[in-house]
Amino acid sequence: MQVLLRRLRSELFATPADGALSVALITLLSLGAFGFLRWALTQAQWAVVKVNSTLFAVGRYPIEQQWRLWLLTALLVAASGATWGLLRAHPRPDRTGVLWPSNDRLALALLALIALAVPFALGLTLAIQSRWWGLLLLLALCRWLAGRYGANLSPTGRRLAALVWPLLYLGGMALISGGLGLVGVPPSEWGGLLLTLLASSFAILLCFPIGVLLALGRRSELPLLRWGSVLYIEFIRGAPLITLLFLGQNILGFLLPGGLAPERVWRAAWVLTFFAAAYLAEAVRSGLAAVPRGQLEAARSLGLSYPKALQHVVLPQALRVALPAMVGQFISLLQDTTLLSLIGLLELLGTARTVMANPAFLGRNGEVYLTLAVLFWGCCAALGLGSRALERRLDPHAVPSAT
Amino acid sequence: MSQPSSELMIEARAVEKWYPNGFQALRGASLTVRRGEVVVIMGPSGSGKSTFIRTFNALEDFQKGSITVDGIVLSNDLRNIDAIRREVGMVFQQFNLFPHLSVLDNLTLAPVLVRKRPKAEVEKQARALLERVGIAEQAGKYPGQLSGGQQQRVAIARALCMEPRILLFDEPTSALDPEMVREVLEVMQDLAADDITMVVVTHEVKFARHVAHRVVLMADGEVVEEAEPEVFFTNPSHERTRRFLDQIL
Ligand SMILES: Nc1ncnc2c1ncn2[C@@H]1O[C@H](COP(=O)(O)OP(=O)(O)OP(=O)(O)O)[C@@H](O)[C@H]1O
Ligand SMILES: [Mg+2]
């Protein structure tokens, strides 16, 4: 206690001016927090969120088909837990790693809190609440199993294990949209968080290779390739996304090979992809510029072909440098999906607007927007945390540490 | 010191090179290197030493003259270039180790990818090479965690792991602190005793005197003087060489 007081004193009240500033800031902050809490607890009526929670989550996805989404969520949770555990079981060769660092325990505790509190607060039925607990248990179980037994996995085994993710993505797409003997659920019935995540993950995954190719094209020695890339990047970056979205709805059906973009949702997802690729290309270009010339020369002098030198020497370094900028790009891409509501798609914001237009929930905009903000914040925080962990793992200069 | 055979490993004739900006860096440079020979190239800064040896493994192109390396005529044919690069290793002034790979992976990358050799076998060889250059215990570290001298020794081991017949060195000790220069030169001297052919751009007079079979002076994009070390340092035949030696000795 004494120590705490002394520390508070030295950090907040070192000089009279510091003290005054601290007092002013503390007052402002507590006023803000107090006002917010008073609104959230007394004024706000959270029924609008409780009643519409399914709508926010998946839009008008048919109820009798929603087991598919639960199944997919369970698979994703299992894969996440297993990956998490495997990563801990295989620390980098030059570092030591503990199986259960304190950060991991904290993360699991936080997730447990969320899995218990949020479904309860939303007033979901006990059956649904218990599903969330089940998911939490599944995560912990996979994390524990993979951590416990994952160390025995050979490098080939690990590489195969990584393949789970692309398979899961493709399988997930099939689960969501139907096919393979399942009833089809057309994209027009997807909505809410589901649509937001689908559109953004689709765009993030595809804009990455396109962006890398564009960045390489921009540095190429072939004039046609170079000018083509420059033209594309500058054209896309010069136009507001919303105009491109409208443009895409009108002309993408002609531009892409038949069948690739039959639906408005897919057309919009492609536009997002092409848009993000141009920005990503610039991030990758700055990463490429940061790799010294000598790296390519050393690789070439060892006999590596140009593509191999790029793949094994230049790109890994360039992408590591570009990673923070790229993730920033992904985060703004995630937020840009809200523009889809302007072309009439019912992603999170679109769903929110239909809810707020319902006379039963008139004037409940604050609650709805706050929910949206928290959801987006959660997704972006996850992206940011993931990227920082990746950065640390890839950083060849980082001091050995437990994380 | 092993004696070079009469087999020609590098034969460069009247090589002329212009950089894209129009600057002529090589003005008819010629050099022949026999198998097992250690040739040291000296010369003032900007005389084209780096440019010249970089044409030997096609890191730089040239416009006039001809170069034959290990019987392969250097041309713009891509297959040709790949074949030559497999036979010629290079060690750079700035080491140019791959910072994102462990020391061991730096060594095994090319043999596995280019020579398609089994990883386990290459790793064994790589460890032996690291042992030879005196840093076996650093195999799992990353280049950024090593000293300059250690990095350069890794770079030498990396080049050796491809089992080249020719090794090119471009000022391998110029970026090193004085106390690390010796450890690298010792490794190079150890190599010179082998059958491998070495072309070394360096200003280390002691190395040139005791290890080289021949010392070459380059000036203004040409080879000016070519002589055995004793002759080169004590009784050069060209005025240009004498002036250069006055500056560095
Ligand atoms: N990429 C380039 N474009 C244009 N000129 C160049 C380029 N690289 C080198 N030069 C010029 O060519 C000449 C020879 O350069 P080179 O690097 O071969 O010299 P060097 O003898 O190795 O010198 P140093 O001892 O400084 O390394 C120099 O005058 C240099 O300025
Ligand atoms: Mg040089």
Side-chain angles (χ1 to χ4, degrees), chain A residues 234-364:
Chain A
E234 296 307 331
F235 169 73
I236 296 277
R237 296 206 315 157
L241 175 55
I242 186 69
T243 56
L244 293 176
L245 278 169
F246 279 117
L247 186 67
Q249 291 303 326
N250 291 310
I251 66 165
L252 217 53
F254 300 104
L255 281 185
L256 283 175
L260 259 183
E263 281 269 3
R264 291 190 321 155
V265 170
W266 287 123
R267 272 182 238 162
W270 276 111
V271 171
L272 277 179
T273 306
F274 292 140
F275 180 78
Y279 285 84
L280 201 76
E282 288 299 283
V284 175
R285 186 165 72 114
S286 66
L288 286 172
V291 179
R293 264 182 69 87
Q295 290 291 311
L296 184 64
E297 286 179 353
R300 299 290 274 144
S301 74
L302 283 167
L304 268 68
S305 62
Y306 185 69
K308 285 232 164 84
L310 276 185
Q311 183 194 344
H312 294 276
V313 174
V314 178
L315 275 180
Q317 297 180 56
L319 293 181
R320 202 188 65 71
V321 174
L323 186 67
M326 288 197 307
V327 173
Q329 216 50 67
F330 293 156
I331 286 177
S332 45
L333 173 65
L334 187 71
Q335 297 169 349
D336 283 344
T337 55
T338 48
L339 287 176
L340 298 191
S341 67
L342 294 186
I343 56 169
L345 296 181
L346 295 180
E347 47 64 70
L348 264 178
L349 185 62
T351 310
R353 292 184 354 149
T354 60
V355 167
M356 290 181 295
N358 183 341
F361 304 115
L362 216 56
R364 299 271 72 92

Side-chain angles (χ1 to χ4, degrees), chain B residues 19-21 23 25 43-52 170-171 203:
Chain B
Y19 275 109
N21 65 0
F23 179 81
S45 176
S47 55
K49 306 177 299 287
S50 300
T51 309
F52 195 33
D170 192 0
E171 307 204 25
H203 296 296

Side-chain angles (χ1 to χ4, degrees), chain A residues 18-44:
Chain A
D18 277 7
L21 197 61
S22 299
V23 169
L25 278 177
I26 291 173
T27 318
L28 267 179
L29 282 178
S30 25
L31 276 181
F34 180 71
F36 174 77
L37 279 180
R38 204 179 53 171
W39 172 80
L41 296 177
T42 64
Q43 299 248 277

Side-chain angles (χ1 to χ4, degrees), chain A residues 92-94 292-305 308 312-314 316-317 394 396-398 400, chain B residues 54 57 59 82 85-86 88-90 92 96-100 109-110 113-114 116 140-142 144-145 158-159 162:
Chain A
R92 263 173 46 162
D94 64 329
R293 264 182 69 87
Q295 290 291 311
L296 184 64
E297 286 179 353
R300 299 290 274 144
S301 74
L302 283 167
L304 268 68
S305 62
K308 285 232 164 84
H312 294 276
V313 174
V314 178
Q317 297 180 56
L394 297 182
H397 301 297
Chain B
R54 286 158 60 89
N57 67 345
L59 278 185
D82 284 343
R85 288 200 178 131
R86 280 195 292 265
V88 184
M90 185 150 195
F92 300 84
N96 292 347
L97 292 179
F98 306 135
H100 62 299
L109 181 75
L113 285 177
V114 179
K116 314 272 181 223
K141 284 200 185 165
Y142 283 74
Q145 300 163 339
R158 176 176 73 176
M162 277 297 280

Side-chain angles (χ1 to χ4, degrees), chain B residues 11-43:
Chain B
E11 192 178 6
R13 293 220 176 285
V15 179
E16 296 188 44
K17 157 148 189 119
W18 285 262
Y19 275 109
N21 65 0
F23 179 81
Q24 186 174 8
L26 296 179
R27 302 163 180 267
S30 299
L31 181 71
T32 55
V33 182
R34 282 168 301 154
R35 176 166 175 179
E37 201 174 17
V38 178
V39 174
V40 162
I41 301 182
M42 300 188 127

